[in-house]
Amino acid sequence: MDETFSNVAPHLRHLLKDMLQHLELKDRRYFGRMYRTCFKGKAAVKFMLNGRHANDITHAEDLGNELMSAGVLEHVCQSHPFRNKSLFYRFSFCRSIVAMEKDLDEEWKL
């Protein structure tokens, strides 16, 4: 398995794979600031419940926090645990993509 997912417990790997395949990752704006390649916590909880990965909202939040502890999921500002709210989260490896896009944007401004 890829080292990116080596910290993910076996019981979470199927969930992670499904989330990667089905959650809508997109650029979102909040108070004028752009957050790239992210999804809402509420959408992930709904996905976990509909996909029968979680029994209830609390269980879904616990699973999201387990993914955060494994280092594969993060709040876009690293300031919130995983919650069933309209907070923005991203897969940690997307941070590299976002940084690369930002660098390219800066180059084009020159």
Side-chain angles (χ1 to χ4, degrees):
M1 173 161 283
D2 186 309
E3 72 180 54
T4 304
F5 304 115
S6 63
N7 292 334
V8 180
H11 73 282
L12 295 174
R13 289 181 183 154
H14 180 70
L15 168 60
L16 179 59
K17 179 182 174 190
D18 282 355
M19 289 175 72
L20 286 165
Q21 290 176 338
H22 299 289
L23 279 180
E24 180 182 19
L25 303 179
K26 67 179 191 176
D27 297 347
R28 299 170 191 274
R29 191 174 296 279
Y30 183 71
F31 282 108
R33 183 166 177 196
M34 181 66 74
Y35 297 93
R36 298 193 181 278
T37 319
C38 59
F39 59 90
K40 292 183 179 180
K42 287 179 93 164
V45 167
K46 183 177 179 180
F47 171 78
M48 288 183 221
L49 293 171
N50 290 343
R52 300 186 184 203
H53 293 284
N55 302 321
D56 56 32
I57 291 171
T58 301
H59 185 212
E61 288 179 333
D62 290 344
L63 291 171
N65 282 305
E66 284 186 65
L67 289 170
M68 290 181 82
S69 293
V72 294
L73 189 68
E74 63 187 24
H75 178 263
V76 294
C77 296
Q78 290 86 32
S79 58
H80 293 280
F82 185 81
R83 293 287 173 252
N84 182 35
K85 295 186 176 184
S86 291
L87 299 171
F88 300 158
Y89 298 89
R90 73 169 57 103
F91 297 104
S92 300
F93 54 84
C94 290
R95 188 177 345 123
S96 307
I97 296 167
V98 169
M100 192 171 19
E101 286 176 340
K102 186 176 179 181
D103 288 346
L104 290 171
D105 287 346
E106 290 299 317
E107 283 182 28
W108 283 102
K109 288 181 183 178
L110 298 177

